Amino acid sequence: MPKVSKNADQGGGPGSDQAAALARQRLDRGDSAGASTAGKADAAPAQEGLLVGVDFTSAPTARKPIRLAFGHRRGAVVKLERQEALTSLDAFEAWLAAPGTWLGGFDLPFGLPRELVETLGWPTSWAPLIAHYETLTRAEIRATFAAFCDARPVGGKFAHRACDAPAGSSSSMKWVNPPVAYMLHAGVPRLVRAGVHLPGLHPGDPSRVALEAYPGLLARELIGARSYKSDERAKQTPERLIARKDMIEALEQGRSRLGLRLKLSHAQRDDLAADGTGDKLDAVLCLMQAAWAQTRPHYGRPTDMDPLEGWIVCA
């Protein structure tokens, strides 16, 4: 299993280990000191440090792993340093819990629509809701959400979060195409158990900060509605390859509202373009969104964010 090494790029070491342990103790106690530390971290994000983009899947395998893109920002330049693959959820959870200092953009929903939660009579505070959601099986989630949809009119089957419209994202209650409800079920409880800090949602270790990202939001800004990926080899067409190359060029030239440029080696550029699934590129898009959030107070989230639903970076 790949592990983040304790080196200068990561910012690890005895000091960060002690800070992580203290933050976990505060989270376990639920005292005001932990919340205060988290609040300060939210108000003034670090201007430099390890960044991570995470392209998540709820059922990782060697063929389709969770993809991690690591990099650093220097001014307006984000340098991609390496990518890693995690082939199991256990490997993902172990990476999350490892000592270190990072800010990550994760491609999975961190919350459910308030309308859905209230209709089902589920807890309306974030932590109890996630604890309840984790107890459900995927079959129970599917049956519950399908019944909710069946009771609603055509054209309004799914409930949505406030961030879905500006981000152009699917409802986090969808269980197919894409199965983001299962991604939330597999990913978010592991973030909580690892003691990661989720700004605006759940206090944790301020040296390991997780934000909800959505690569499709940035991808559309760069290449419009063009398709650039497919998990089916037969659909990994020359047109999609060209779209990936165009997106990479736009990232390198900084042609987005993020105001950031991606720095790649020739080998990295070729590797991103060659991945027909687009997963490696999606991890890089999440990395760029995390880099943008790194420069913003409160990581760029709106002051009126619903603390039950959460928000998507850059939406």
Side-chain angles (χ1 to χ4, degrees):
M1 180 199 70
K3 289 186 178 180
V4 180
S5 60
K6 293 182 182 178
N7 55 29
D9 287 342
Q10 181 185 335
S16 61
D17 290 356
Q18 293 170 2
L22 179 59
R24 290 190 189 94
Q25 291 172 6
R26 288 171 172 169
L27 179 58
D28 290 341
R29 292 197 309 264
D31 65 14
S32 59
S36 175
T37 301
K40 291 178 181 178
D42 288 358
Q47 292 305 298
E48 293 181 353
L50 184 66
L51 297 166
V52 190
V54 181
D55 181 63
F56 187 77
T57 174
S58 60
T61 62
R63 181 178 179 182
K64 188 174 179 60
I66 297 169
R67 293 284 182 185
L68 309 179
F70 296 91
H72 280 88
R73 181 185 60 80
R74 296 292 182 267
V77 177
V78 179
K79 180 182 179 183
L80 176 64
E81 295 179 353
R82 69 187 188 280
Q83 291 209 353
E84 295 183 11
L86 303 178
T87 58
S88 71
L89 291 172
D90 286 343
F92 174 69
E93 191 162 6
W95 171 75
L96 286 174
T101 300
W102 47 260
L103 170 64
F106 291 69
D107 180 19
L108 71 152
F110 284 9
L112 290 167
R114 179 173 289 277
E115 180 185 4
L116 169 72
V117 172
E118 292 179 345
T119 299
L120 295 176
W122 287 357
T124 54
S125 294
W126 190 87
L129 172 63
I130 296 303
H132 170 73
Y133 194 63
E134 185 181 10
T135 66
L136 304 175
T137 65
R138 290 190 180 187
E140 289 171 332
I141 291 170
R142 181 177 64 251
T144 301
F145 290 177
F148 175 91
C149 292
D150 289 345
R152 290 162 65 90
V154 175
K157 294 291 187 181
F158 291 96
H160 289 270
R161 294 183 293 165
C163 59
D164 287 337
S169 57
S170 298
S171 168
S172 58
M173 66 173 292
K174 288 195 69 176
W175 61 94
V176 290
N177 301 322
V180 286
Y182 299 155
M183 293 168 68
L184 191 162
H185 184 258
V188 174
R190 287 177 165 83
L191 292 172
V192 174
R193 285 199 298 271
V196 172
H197 180 49
L198 284 70
L201 295 174
H202 194 67
D205 176 4
S207 67
R208 294 173 296 132
V209 179
L211 307 173
E212 181 180 342
Y214 176 47
L217 172 60
L218 181 53
R220 284 193 297 272
E221 182 179 351
L222 297 170
I223 61 168
R226 296 161 62 192
S227 177
Y228 63 95
K229 61 181 180 178
S230 177
D231 286 338
E232 298 180 37
R233 186 174 295 274
K235 295 182 179 180
Q236 295 173 4
T237 61
E239 291 77 14
R240 288 188 167 97
L241 172 61
I242 293 171
R244 289 193 300 277
K245 289 182 175 180
D246 288 347
M247 189 187 305
I248 293 166
E249 180 185 15
L251 286 168
E252 290 185 292
Q253 294 184 1
R255 297 202 305 265
S256 80
R257 60 189 172 87
L258 302 186
L260 298 170
R261 302 191 310 276
L262 177 64
K263 183 177 181 181
L264 300 170
S265 67
H266 292 299
Q268 288 172 333
R269 186 181 303 111
D270 292 344
D271 185 47
L272 291 175
D275 177 23
T277 68
D279 292 344
K280 293 181 179 180
L281 187 52
D282 280 348
V284 169
L285 293 173
C286 291
L287 173 72
M288 297 298 288
Q289 291 177 321
W292 175 87
Q294 189 183 47
T295 69
R296 298 300 194 273
H298 306 289
Y299 302 102
R301 73 177 186 273
T303 56
D304 61 348
M305 183 195 84
D306 188 325
L308 181 67
E309 293 187 341
W311 195 259
I312 295 172
V313 173
C314 305

